[in-house]
């Protein structure tokens, strides 16, 4: 089945540690995205990538880093510089088709800082 | 900048009641509009979309019409079920990159 997988589903981190969230898709989509979801805040864009080896910062990129070495993979690293990383993280992908672009989402990773 | 405003929840309804969740947007151009649904502990699923003025998106009994004159994209369903309980997000895509989301509206349907 085609889709987007994120792992792990739950992740616990101690303060000062970096952690990497995995996102893999087998939809052959060119574009991939990372969003952060906080209660009552909706979703906010962290990073996005429209092609391999290229990515752009979103609205809240500080304290995060990404890579896009393969079309199907777009891992997100939450660094110790991120002051409040506890949140639900969602990965999405799409065929870039302009403003009609439909994004498909993975099941999410819930990160908790202890 | 572009933005989406949704009615605040939670919205609490009895089964078979009529549902409306209001969504209005601010955008400089002609965005596409979307409704996504999120069930507890899961990611978002596309519910419906509309790409130009007067388009009506529909899926699973839900409908929304792109109203350019009122910059609105209200979600409606004639008869809700308990299984419709979820968080609903309105979103727009203006530039062909990332979606801009509203804050979400929680719907709770009781039998």
């Amino acid at each position: 089945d085609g889709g987007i997988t994120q792992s792990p589903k739950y992740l616990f981190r101690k303060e000062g540690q970096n952690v990497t969230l995995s996102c893999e898709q087998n939809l052959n989509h060119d574009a991939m995205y990372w969003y952060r979801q906080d209660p009552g805040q909706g979703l906010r864009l962290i990073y996005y990538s429209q092609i391999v080896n290229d990515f752009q910062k979103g609205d809240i990129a500080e304290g995060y880093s990404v890579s896009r070495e393969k079309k199907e993979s777009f891992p997100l690293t939450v660094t110790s510089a991120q002051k409040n990383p506890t949140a639900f993280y969602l990965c999405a992908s799409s065929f870039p088709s302009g403003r009609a672009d439909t994004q498909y989402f993975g099941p999410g990773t819930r990160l908790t800082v202890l | 900048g572009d933005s989406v405003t949704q009615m605040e929840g939670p919205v609490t309804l009895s089964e078979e009641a009529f549902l409306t969740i209001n969504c209005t947007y601010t955008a400089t151009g002609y965005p596409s509009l979307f409704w996504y649904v999120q069930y507890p502990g899961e990611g978002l699923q596309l519910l419906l979309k509309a790409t130009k003025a007067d388009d009506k998106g529909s899926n699973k009994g839900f409908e929304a019409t792109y109203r350019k004159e009122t910059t609105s994209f209200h979600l409606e369903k004639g008869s809700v079920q308990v299984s419709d309980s979820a968080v609903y997000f309105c979103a727009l895509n203006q530039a062909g990159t990332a979606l801009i989301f509203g804050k979400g509206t929680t719907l709770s349907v009781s039998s």
Side-chain angles (χ1 to χ4, degrees), chain A residues 5-90:
Chain A
T5 57
Q6 291 186 243
S7 61
K9 187 172 178 64
Y10 299 97
L11 186 57
F12 298 91
R13 188 194 93 172
K14 293 182 180 180
E15 285 195 27
Q17 288 182 335
N18 293 352
V19 290
T20 297
L21 283 58
S22 170
C23 177
E24 304 276 334
Q25 55 97 1
N26 61 3
L27 299 169
N28 199 33
H29 286 168
D30 290 307
M32 297 186 74
Y33 309 82
W34 275 105
Y35 293 90
R36 170 178 170 144
Q37 184 178 17
D38 295 284
Q41 294 295 317
L43 280 74
R44 293 179 291 169
L45 180 69
I46 305 173
Y47 270 97
Y48 68 99
S49 168
Q50 294 190 300
I51 55 173
V52 174
N53 292 323
D54 188 43
F55 48 83
Q56 284 77 43
K57 292 182 179 180
D59 300 322
I60 56 166
E62 185 175 351
Y64 300 97
S65 66
V66 294
S67 63
R68 186 85 187 278
E69 297 176 0
K70 299 185 296 183
K71 185 175 182 178
E72 59 270 22
S73 178
F74 191 40
L76 174 74
T77 296
V78 184
T79 75
S80 57
Q82 170 49 236
K83 297 305 178 188
N84 184 21
T86 294
F88 191 48
Y89 291 87
L90 289 157

Side-chain angles (χ1 to χ4, degrees), chain A residues 9 33 35 37 40-45 48 50 88 90 96-108 110, chain B residues 30-32 34 36 38 41-46 49-52 66 89 93-99 101-104:
Chain A
K9 187 172 178 64
Y33 309 82
Y35 293 90
Q37 184 178 17
Q41 294 295 317
L43 280 74
R44 293 179 291 169
L45 180 69
Y48 68 99
Q50 294 190 300
F88 191 48
L90 289 157
S97 53
R99 62 180 188 82
D101 193 26
T102 296
Q103 294 184 18
Y104 298 89
F105 284 80
R110 186 166 298 281
Chain B
Y30 302 94
S32 291
F34 303 80
Y36 281 85
Q38 183 179 35
E42 298 183 8
L44 275 66
Q45 300 175 24
L46 178 67
K49 74 176 191 181
T51 60
K52 62 183 187 297
Y66 190 143
F89 290 93
N93 189 334
Q94 171 76 290
T97 54
L99 292 166
F101 287 89
K103 293 186 177 182

